[in-house]
Amino acid sequence: MIDTFFGNGTLDTPAAFLASLLIGIAFGVALEKAGFGSSRRIAGIFYLRDMTVHKVMFTAVVVAMLGICYAKAFGLVTGENVYFLPTNYAAQIMGGLIFGAGFVMSGWCPGTGAVGLASGKVDALVFLFGAIGGSMLYNEVYPILDPITTGDQGVIFAFDSMGVSEAGFAFFLTLIAVGCFWGAEYIEKKRHGKGDLWGTPFLKAFSVVLVLGAFGLFAVAGQQPVSTSVASKASPETAYLEDLQAGLDHMDPQELADRLLAGDPSITLVDIRTPREFAQFHIRSALNIQVSDLPTLLSPHKNQGLIVLYSNGMTHPAQARDSLFRLGYGNVYFLTDGLKGFLNACLKPISLRLEPVSSVLAFKINAWRAFFLAPETPASDPKIISNSSTAVDISNLTIPGLVETDWLNMNLGKSDVKIIDLHAQSEYNSGHIPG
Amino acid sequence: MNPYYAGVLLGVTLLLSYLILGAGLGASSGVARVGAYMELSVAPARTLATEYFGSWGEQPLQYYLVFMLVGVFFGGLISALLANRCHVRIERGVKCSSKKRLIFALAGGILAGFASRLASGCTSGQGLAGSAVLVTGSLLFLICIFVSGYSIAWFVRRQWDD
C-alpha cells in the first residue's frame, strides 16, 4: 500500500502543500494545453460547436479510472490511504443542476477560471469573484440547508449501486467514453465539414488501447487471491450493505445514553473529533482517537463487544466505519446524528423543548442530564471541592437537573460553571447567555 | 494540443494526485477558502461564528487545495506564456457587449460557487476526481451538470455567436 499524505494524516503539512502545489501546476498546464483558457471554447460544448470538453474530460476520467483500478487490484490503493467523497443524492443532484447553469452562463468552472485568469481573461476574473461570492452566500444560508446537507449516504460506488463488478463497470464506462469520442468527432465533422480526427489511425489506435486496458481489469481482478480485499468478499459485503439499508449500522442517541447510564461494559465509545473539541466537551466515558489511529488503537476491541464512533455529524464516523469494515471489523456502529443529535435528543433541557415530553422520557432526560453533564471525576477537581458550600457542583443538583434562573445569575462568571447552549448555531448567534 | 493527449495528461495528473496525496484534484474548495479568508479579515468574530466557514478555523488558507489552486494558476500561466496565448481581454461573441458578457460571467460565477459548496466539489473535485473513482454521487453530479447545461444553453447563446 502506498504511503499517501491522506493515509498517514499529513495532508495539512508543508510537504503536502508543496506536493499539492506541484500537482496543481501539472493540472493547470493540462487544462491550458487542452484549450480551457478560453470560455468560448469551453461553452462550445453546449452548442455542439467544439467537443473538446467531452474529449478531454472523458479521456482524463477513463485514464485515471483505469490507473486506480489497477492500483487497487495490486493493493496499492485502499479505502484507508485514499479519501473518497461521500455521496449525498439531494445535494449532488441539486448542486449539479445549479452548477450546470452557472457553467453555461459563464463558460468557466473554478479550475478553468484560474487558467483563464492566467491567460488574461477579464471574464474569468469576474467569474472567480462571483464564485467567491457564491461560496459566501452558501455560508450564509448553510443553516437553512441543513435538511439537504445532512442527508449523507457515506461513500457509495456506482458499481455497488448497480450491483455489478468494478471491472465490469469500468469496462462499460470505457466503452461509453470511446463511443462518445467517435460521436464527438462525427458531430464536429458534420458541423464544420472537417473532422480532424474522425476515422484517423490515431483515434482507432487510441480506442483500441483504452478498451484493451479496461478489458485487462477482468484478468487482474480474476487473479486476485482470496484475501481481505473487498472485491473478493462478496457475501460479507452484501450483508454489510443490507445492514446499512436496515439502519443497523448506527445506534440511536437514546439507546446509547441508556446503555452508558446502565454501565454496559460491552460498549467502547470513541470520539473521533480533534483533541481540542474533545477537551471542550465529550460524551462521558468516550475515548478520543483520531481517524488515522483507529485501526491501531481499536485492534483490542476488534469484534469484541460494540464499538460506537461519533463526531459532530455522521460523515466521518460513517467513513471510518466503512474503512474499519474493510479491515475486518464487524462490530462498529456510529451514533445517529452525531454529537449534535445526542445533545438534542438526550441532554436538551425539557423546558427548552418545542415538542411535548412524556413523563417516562422526562424522567430519563433528567437522569441522562445528571449523568452526562456531571464532571467525570468530581473528587479530583479542587475547585469544586472548595466551592461546594455554594452548591456549584452540578452533580449535587441531579434530578431534576435543571437550575433556577436566580441561581444562574448568582453563579454566572464563575470559572467552574459551564453554560452549554444547545440551540443551533444560528440561534446561538442571535442571542445566548454570556459564557 | 490534440485533446486526447491533453486528456491523458490530465488523467495522469489526477492519478498521481490520488497516489501521492491520497485525494483527488479540486479547485472550488480553494476558491471558497479565499472567500472565507476575505470575510475573516473584515469580520473575524462573525465569520468564526458561522457554521460553515467557522469550521475551517482562523487559517482557512492552510489547506492543500488552496495550494493546488495556486498551482493551477501558475501552471496555466506558464503554459499560456510559452504558447503565446496570454492576452488581456474579455472573451465574447462579436455581437455581445462587454458589459453583458461580464454580467453573465458574474451571475454564472455566483451560481457555480454556491453549487460547488452544496455538492462539495465542482467539475474538478466531483466531475473528474469523484467520477474517476466511480463514486455514485459524483457521476450523478456530472450527469446533472450536462443535463442542466444543455437545457439552459439556448437561452444564453447570444453572448457567443451561436
Side-chain angles (χ1 to χ4, degrees):
Chain A
M1 199 170 78
I2 299 176
D3 221 7
T4 62
F5 284 105
F6 172 78
N8 50 33
T10 52
L11 207 48
D12 57 350
T13 56
F17 291 161
L18 179 67
S20 304
L21 184 76
L22 295 174
I23 287 169
I25 289 176
F27 186 17
V29 168
L31 290 176
E32 207 285 331
K33 285 209 174 294
F36 294 166
S38 158
S39 50
R40 191 172 185 280
R41 179 158 208 188
I42 295 171
I45 186 69
F46 293 111
Y47 303 98
L48 304 181
R49 162 165 45 77
D50 185 330
M51 305 302 286
T52 311
V53 172
H54 276 331
K55 297 181 203 170
V56 174
M57 278 197 82
F58 250 135
T59 304
V61 165
V62 169
V63 166
M65 172 188 75
L66 295 180
I68 290 162
C69 284
Y70 279 106
K72 268 188 184 174
F74 293 113
L76 299 175
V77 165
T78 67
E80 286 166 69
N81 64 346
V82 168
Y83 173 69
F84 295 116
L85 287 155
T87 289
N88 179 335
Y89 289 112
Q92 279 161 324
I93 289 173
M94 282 175 59
L97 294 174
I98 301 173
F99 192 94
F103 194 22
V104 72
M105 281 168 77
S106 59
W108 297 112
C109 58
T112 57
V115 172
L117 178 64
S119 311
K121 304 292 159 56
V122 179
D123 44 320
L125 179 66
V126 171
F127 166 83
L128 288 173
F129 273 112
I132 289 173
S135 308
M136 290 173 169
L137 179 68
Y138 179 79
N139 181 45
E140 295 306 318
V141 300
Y142 183 72
I144 313 170
L145 296 172
D146 211 43
I148 301 171
T149 51
T150 50
D152 202 314
Q153 313 282 312
V155 179
I156 311 176
F157 294 107
F159 46 89
D160 287 332
S161 303
M162 295 176 75
V164 294
S165 74
E166 185 171 9
F169 189 85
F171 185 70
F172 169 72
L173 202 66
T174 308
L175 287 184
I176 292 184
V178 168
C180 278
F181 297 152
W182 285 81
E185 295 299 340
Y186 184 75
I187 288 171
E188 285 184 351
K189 183 178 161 219
K190 282 277 162 192
R191 288 283 293 233
H192 310 298
K194 58 146 187 128
D196 284 348
L197 296 167
W198 169 262
T200 53
F202 164 78
L203 191 61
K204 287 177 186 164
F206 188 67
S207 308
V208 170
V209 168
L210 289 185
V211 172
L212 285 180
F215 195 69
L217 286 176
F218 289 109
V220 183
Q223 273 177 5
Q224 200 49 0
V226 182
S227 66
T228 51
S229 116
V230 186
S232 55
K233 287 203 296 189
S235 57
E237 187 77 19
T238 316
Y240 174 75
L241 290 170
E242 278 166 6
D243 279 359
L244 210 88
Q245 196 174 5
L248 295 177
D249 56 333
H250 46 247
M251 183 178 277
D252 286 333
Q254 289 90 343
E255 194 195 336
L256 178 72
D258 275 340
R259 293 177 79 152
L260 289 177
L261 185 62
D264 188 339
S266 67
I267 290 188
T268 310
L269 183 62
V270 183
D271 187 322
I272 60 169
R273 298 173 307 152
T274 61
R276 201 172 134 225
E277 289 176 290
F278 182 80
Q280 278 169 0
F281 181 77
H282 60 264
I283 300 178
R284 194 169 173 169
S285 84
L287 307 170
N288 187 211
I289 302 180
Q290 299 305 297
V291 176
S292 51
D293 300 329
L294 285 175
T296 350
L297 296 176
L298 281 182
S299 53
H301 303 284
K302 187 170 180 175
N303 299 327
Q304 299 282 320
L306 302 175
I307 300 174
V308 182
L309 306 177
Y310 79 86
S311 175
N312 289 321
M314 291 209 285
T315 315
H316 289 136
Q319 286 170 333
R321 175 180 185 265
D322 201 46
S323 177
L324 288 169
F325 173 78
R326 286 158 200 247
L327 293 172
Y329 286 77
N331 61 332
V332 183
Y333 295 79
F334 59 90
L335 179 58
T336 311
D337 298 329
L339 182 59
K340 281 184 194 166
F342 186 83
L343 292 174
N344 255 325
C346 301
L347 302 184
K348 192 172 178 179
I350 298 159
S351 55
L352 294 176
R353 291 182 188 237
L354 300 172
E355 68 287 327
V357 173
S358 71
S359 57
V360 181
L361 184 59
F363 179 77
K364 278 186 163 189
I365 290 169
N366 288 329
W368 290 331
R369 283 177 58 79
F371 180 73
F372 291 105
L373 296 180
E376 224 156 314
T377 46
S380 65
D381 191 337
K383 272 184 209 151
I384 283 168
I385 294 170
S386 64
N387 284 334
S388 56
S389 56
T390 53
V392 167
D393 190 347
I394 294 176
S395 60
N396 289 345
L397 298 168
T398 54
I399 299 169
L402 283 172
V403 295
E404 297 298 324
T405 327
D406 292 345
W407 181 90
L408 191 59
N409 272 331
M410 220 166 66
N411 290 285
L412 260 184
K414 290 194 179 169
S415 62
D416 44 11
V417 176
K418 289 265 184 295
I419 299 186
I420 300 170
D421 194 319
L422 298 170
H423 287 90
Q425 187 75 42
S426 54
E427 297 170 70
Y428 176 86
N429 293 344
S430 58
H432 62 267
I433 302 172
Chain B
M1 191 185 212
N2 176 327
Y4 299 101
Y5 289 146
V8 171
L9 188 62
L10 187 56
V12 170
T13 306
L14 175 55
L15 180 60
L16 285 178
S17 180
Y18 269 118
L19 298 184
I20 296 170
L21 297 178
L25 301 172
S28 59
S29 280
V31 173
R33 278 168 183 268
V34 171
Y37 178 78
M38 287 161 71
E39 275 201 27
L40 270 171
S41 18
V42 179
R46 187 187 177 281
T47 311
L48 283 174
T50 57
E51 220 174 322
Y52 191 69
F53 282 175
S55 67
W56 293 341
E58 290 171 28
Q59 301 284 342
L61 298 185
Q62 297 286 317
Y63 190 63
Y64 74 105
L65 288 176
V66 174
F67 287 82
M68 192 179 284
L69 185 66
V70 173
V72 171
F73 174 82
F74 283 105
L77 187 65
I78 294 164
S79 177
L81 286 175
L82 288 178
N84 198 18
R85 277 194 288 259
C86 192
H87 312 286
V88 176
R89 65 195 187 95
I90 299 169
E91 218 178 5
R92 60 195 163 91
V94 275
K95 286 180 212 146
C96 172
S97 71
S98 292
K99 191 179 155 198
K100 188 175 171 188
R101 168 67 189 126
L102 290 184
I103 290 171
F104 271 118
L106 184 70
I110 294 172
L111 290 178
F114 181 87
S116 64
R117 289 305 85 214
L118 181 60
S120 315
C122 60
T123 21
S124 310
Q126 294 283 359
L128 280 177
S131 297
V133 291
L134 307 176
V135 168
T136 309
S138 304
L139 288 163
L140 274 176
F141 176 79
L142 191 58
I143 292 168
C144 288
I145 287 182
F146 284 104
V147 166
S148 155
Y150 278 107
S151 7
I152 290 163
W154 190 84
F155 299 98
V156 296
R157 69 194 185 284
R158 292 291 161 83
Q159 54 177 334
W160 313 110
D161 297 325
D162 302 289

